[in-house]
Amino acid sequence: MTETHYDCPCLEKCPLNYAMSIIGGKWKMQIICALNNKGTLRYNELRKKLGGISNTVLAACLRELEEKGLVQRKEYLEVPVRVEYSTTEICDRLMPILEDLSNWGEDMMSARKVIE
Protein backbone atom coordinates (compact mmCIF):
# COMPACT_ATOMS: atom_id res chain seq x y z
CA MET A 1 0.00 0.00 0.00
CA THR A 2 1.29 3.45 -0.87
CA GLU A 3 1.57 6.16 1.73
CA THR A 4 -0.63 9.22 1.26
CA HIS A 5 0.08 12.71 2.52
CA TYR A 6 -2.39 11.99 5.34
CA ASP A 7 -0.08 9.25 6.57
CA CYS A 8 2.98 11.44 6.27
CA PRO A 9 5.10 11.29 9.45
CA CYS A 10 6.89 14.46 8.33
CA LEU A 11 4.34 17.12 9.22
CA GLU A 12 6.47 19.90 7.73
CA LYS A 13 6.02 18.24 4.30
CA CYS A 14 2.32 17.43 4.71
CA PRO A 15 0.09 19.59 2.47
CA LEU A 16 -2.81 19.36 4.91
CA ASN A 17 -0.63 20.52 7.78
CA TYR A 18 0.62 23.39 5.62
CA ALA A 19 -2.95 24.41 4.70
CA MET A 20 -4.01 24.36 8.35
CA SER A 21 -1.01 26.50 9.32
CA ILE A 22 -2.23 29.16 6.87
CA ILE A 23 -5.86 29.31 8.07
CA GLY A 24 -5.47 28.07 11.63
CA GLY A 25 -5.51 30.13 14.77
CA LYS A 26 -8.19 31.95 16.69
CA TRP A 27 -8.92 34.79 14.25
CA LYS A 28 -7.91 33.90 10.69
CA MET A 29 -10.99 31.81 9.95
CA GLN A 30 -13.24 34.52 11.38
CA ILE A 31 -11.54 37.15 9.21
CA ILE A 32 -11.91 35.00 6.09
CA CYS A 33 -15.58 34.31 6.85
CA ALA A 34 -16.36 37.97 7.57
CA LEU A 35 -14.78 39.08 4.30
CA ASN A 36 -16.46 36.28 2.38
CA ASN A 37 -19.89 37.05 3.87
CA LYS A 38 -19.76 40.84 3.65
CA GLY A 39 -17.43 41.38 0.68
CA THR A 40 -14.97 44.23 0.77
CA LEU A 41 -14.60 45.78 4.22
CA ARG A 42 -12.62 48.66 5.61
CA TYR A 43 -10.34 47.93 8.55
CA ASN A 44 -12.62 49.36 11.25
CA GLU A 45 -15.70 47.67 9.76
CA LEU A 46 -13.87 44.35 9.91
CA ARG A 47 -12.73 44.98 13.47
CA LYS A 48 -16.31 45.68 14.57
CA LYS A 49 -17.46 42.38 13.04
CA LEU A 50 -14.79 40.56 15.07
CA GLY A 51 -15.69 41.59 18.59
CA GLY A 52 -12.79 41.23 20.98
CA ILE A 53 -9.87 41.33 18.52
CA SER A 54 -7.12 43.84 19.24
CA ASN A 55 -5.69 46.14 16.58
CA THR A 56 -2.31 44.43 16.87
CA VAL A 57 -3.72 40.93 16.33
CA LEU A 58 -6.03 42.01 13.49
CA ALA A 59 -3.21 43.80 11.69
CA ALA A 60 -0.89 40.80 12.10
CA CYS A 61 -3.52 38.30 10.88
CA LEU A 62 -4.41 40.46 7.88
CA ARG A 63 -0.72 40.79 7.01
CA GLU A 64 -0.24 37.01 7.21
CA LEU A 65 -3.35 36.30 5.13
CA GLU A 66 -2.21 38.87 2.58
CA GLU A 67 1.29 37.33 2.41
CA LYS A 68 -0.28 33.90 1.77
CA GLY A 69 -2.49 35.32 -0.98
CA LEU A 70 -5.87 34.85 0.71
CA VAL A 71 -6.66 38.50 1.41
CA GLN A 72 -6.17 41.52 -0.79
CA ARG A 73 -5.39 44.94 0.69
CA LYS A 74 -6.26 47.98 -1.37
CA GLU A 75 -5.10 51.41 -0.23
CA TYR A 76 -6.66 54.59 -1.55
CA LEU A 77 -4.50 57.68 -1.32
CA GLU A 78 -7.13 59.96 0.11
CA VAL A 79 -7.21 62.12 3.20
CA PRO A 80 -7.64 60.26 5.44
CA VAL A 81 -6.18 57.18 3.77
CA ARG A 82 -8.82 54.52 3.09
CA VAL A 83 -7.82 50.85 3.21
CA GLU A 84 -10.13 48.03 2.12
CA TYR A 85 -9.75 44.28 2.48
CA SER A 86 -11.33 41.54 0.39
CA THR A 87 -10.82 37.87 -0.41
CA THR A 88 -8.76 36.77 -3.38
CA GLU A 89 -9.48 34.12 -6.00
CA ILE A 90 -7.33 31.69 -4.00
CA CYS A 91 -9.49 32.29 -0.93
CA ASP A 92 -12.67 31.99 -3.00
CA ARG A 93 -11.47 28.51 -4.07
CA LEU A 94 -11.09 27.63 -0.39
CA MET A 95 -14.66 28.58 0.55
CA PRO A 96 -16.43 25.42 -0.77
CA ILE A 97 -13.95 23.33 1.22
CA LEU A 98 -14.69 25.34 4.35
CA GLU A 99 -18.42 24.99 3.68
CA ASP A 100 -18.01 21.20 3.53
CA LEU A 101 -15.97 21.30 6.74
CA SER A 102 -18.69 23.42 8.36
CA ASN A 103 -21.35 20.90 7.30
CA TRP A 104 -19.26 18.10 8.74
CA GLY A 105 -18.87 20.05 11.98
CA GLU A 106 -22.61 20.63 12.15
CA ASP A 107 -23.21 16.90 11.69
CA MET A 108 -20.72 16.14 14.44
CA MET A 109 -22.35 18.65 16.78
CA SER A 110 -25.76 17.10 16.13
CA ALA A 111 -24.39 13.61 16.72
CA ARG A 112 -22.84 14.72 20.02
CA LYS A 113 -26.19 16.11 21.21
CA VAL A 114 -27.80 12.72 20.55
CA ILE A 115 -25.07 10.91 22.49
CA GLU A 116 -24.99 13.31 25.46
Side-chain angles (χ1 to χ4, degrees):
M1 180 165 83
T2 60
E3 191 172 282
T4 68
H5 63 272
Y6 301 110
D7 299 325
C8 179
C10 303
L11 289 179
E12 68 274 0
K13 294 181 182 178
C14 175
L16 182 57
N17 188 58
Y18 177 71
M20 293 307 295
S21 74
I22 294 171
I23 61 172
K26 181 176 181 180
W27 294 105
K28 289 180 186 174
M29 190 67 63
Q30 292 182 50
I31 292 168
I32 289 169
C33 288
L35 291 173
N36 183 67
N37 291 337
K38 299 296 181 184
T40 301
L41 290 172
R42 294 176 74 170
Y43 182 89
N44 284 330
E45 293 172 318
L46 181 57
R47 201 180 91 212
K48 286 176 188 174
K49 299 240 177 271
L50 306 169
I53 192 169
S54 71
N55 280 323
T56 304
V57 171
L58 178 56
C61 287
L62 285 168
R63 194 175 322 108
E64 289 175 30
L65 290 168
E66 185 181 7
E67 287 171 3
K68 296 297 183 181
L70 296 175
V71 169
Q72 176 180 325
R73 179 183 190 272
K74 189 168 185 180
E75 186 174 319
Y76 297 89
L77 300 178
E78 302 170 349
V79 179
V81 174
R82 178 172 47 118
V83 178
E84 295 179 340
Y85 294 91
S86 59
T87 58
T88 63
E89 185 180 328
I90 292 170
C91 189
D92 294 342
R93 287 179 38 217
L94 174 64
M95 296 317 296
I97 297 164
L98 295 180
E99 183 68 30
D100 285 345
L101 187 58
S102 176
N103 292 337
W104 177 81
E106 188 174 20
D107 291 345
M108 293 298 290
M109 290 168 68
S110 295
R112 297 282 307 174
K113 287 180 185 174
V114 171
I115 294 171
E116 294 174 354

